[in-house]
Amino acid sequence: MQIAVITLFPEFIAAAMQVGVVGRAQERGQVDVQAMTPRDFASDARKTVDDRPYGGGPGMVLKVEPTRSALRAAKDKLPGSRCIYMGADGAPLTQAKVAELAVLPGLVLLAGRYEGVDERLLATEVDETISIGDYVLSGGELPALVLIDAVVRTLPGVLGDEESAQQDSFMTGLLDWPHYTRPEVLEGELEGLKVPEVLIGGNHEAIRRWRLQQALGRTWLRRPDLLAARVASGALTAEEQTLLAEFKAAHASEAG
């Protein structure tokens, strides 16, 4: 997959692309992430890319001409790509959206700054706007990096174990189950805390059921909206209903 990020701070993107899952994917040629700046397309000597907003008010707005030129240059390099503006007013980024984007040949991500981008540019050059949450950041670079990481880790061969991505939270509409590693029993300040017996017993069916129950329970406790959507769609199986009922009963007993 090829990804272009239009940003005023290309060094921000370049630095992040050197580490972790995305960095290794780039080294192996599984993804190519490039940063382009509208400043390279500005026509004046000062490389101006922003101006004051019409109607008054604080801050500055990214200008149409240099930003449009940068976007079009990126699109020319990545035919068939989807152009996405990373904005707080966009649709929320979900795992379903990540899966949709991961099968595309390329992405062009526009990272805004200041008060945003001239609306005429968004109306004519951008396919969709995506948000990573109901809060405001200083710019779209961090959201772009979040989207890139989420998409790249789902690409075939990127993760060392193909099951890792399939078992992530949200892949099945549920949160992930708890994870444990060695030692089996902790010492020091956390002395006595043990790994659940079911995980060290070697019964793979019991482990599967425990993990599924924990995922259901965590989703019920932390993201009831996700569980409600799963119930409404009829996706909750008879086994899952039983396991969830058992989890709720145990939780009520512990709380009481």
Side-chain angles (χ1 to χ4, degrees):
M1 169 176 271
Q2 295 183 295
I3 302 174
V5 183
I6 309 304
T7 169
L8 297 186
F9 300 96
E11 65 277 9
F12 191 165
I13 303 299
M17 293 301 100
Q18 303 304 309
V19 298
V21 170
V22 178
R24 292 193 296 272
Q26 283 220 117
E27 290 177 359
R28 295 193 294 259
Q30 295 162 313
V31 65
D32 179 31
V33 180
Q34 301 293 329
M36 302 171 63
T37 175
R39 295 192 190 280
D40 290 340
F41 298 87
S43 57
D44 65 317
R46 297 184 61 184
K47 301 295 183 181
T48 304
V49 295
D50 58 352
D51 207 334
R52 292 169 295 176
Y54 277 113
M60 305 289 277
V61 176
L62 288 182
K63 293 168 63 67
V64 170
E65 292 85 354
T67 311
R68 179 176 58 193
S69 295
L71 283 173
R72 290 185 174 178
K75 292 177 183 179
D76 287 342
K77 291 182 179 180
L78 305 179
S81 61
R82 183 176 301 180
C83 185
I84 300 171
Y85 173 55
M86 308 306 301
D89 57 345
L93 180 63
T94 64
Q95 196 63 40
K97 173 58 69 172
V98 167
E100 175 188 324
L101 299 177
V103 299
L104 298 175
L107 299 172
V108 176
L109 309 180
L110 173 58
R113 275 278 162 175
Y114 314 125
E115 294 302 308
V117 180
D118 191 300
E119 187 67 23
R120 293 168 294 184
L121 178 72
L122 301 181
T124 57
E125 298 292 335
V126 170
D127 297 314
E128 62 180 306
T129 301
I130 291 180
S131 168
I132 64 167
D134 295 338
Y135 46 86
V136 178
L137 297 172
S138 298
E141 287 78 16
L142 284 173
L145 292 173
V146 167
L147 187 150
I148 291 170
D149 190 275
V151 168
V152 170
R153 62 180 286 106
T154 69
L155 300 179
V158 168
L159 297 183
D161 187 339
E162 288 300 316
E163 291 186 2
S164 294
Q166 296 305 315
Q167 293 179 357
D168 283 341
S169 290
F170 307 110
M171 290 299 290
T172 62
L174 299 174
L175 299 184
D176 201 3
W177 55 73
H179 295 273
Y180 299 86
T181 189
R182 293 162 179 77
E184 182 180 329
V185 181
L186 296 178
E187 299 178 354
E189 293 182 10
L190 302 177
E191 184 175 358
L193 290 181
K194 301 178 61 178
V195 174
E197 291 291 335
V198 65
L199 297 180
I200 57 178
N203 186 326
H204 296 294
E205 174 60 16
I207 291 173
R208 182 194 68 81
R209 287 177 59 83
W210 180 86
R211 285 175 167 172
L212 178 56
Q213 184 175 65
Q214 292 297 310
L216 288 161
R218 278 194 166 189
T219 307
W220 171 64
L221 289 171
R222 302 178 183 181
R223 291 293 304 274
D225 57 312
L226 293 177
L227 189 61
R230 190 173 172 87
V231 172
S233 67
L236 205 64
T237 67
E239 179 189 37
E240 291 173 341
Q241 294 176 40
T242 299
L243 291 174
L244 180 58
E246 292 174 357
F247 183 95
K248 289 181 177 180
H251 180 77
S253 177
E254 293 173 2

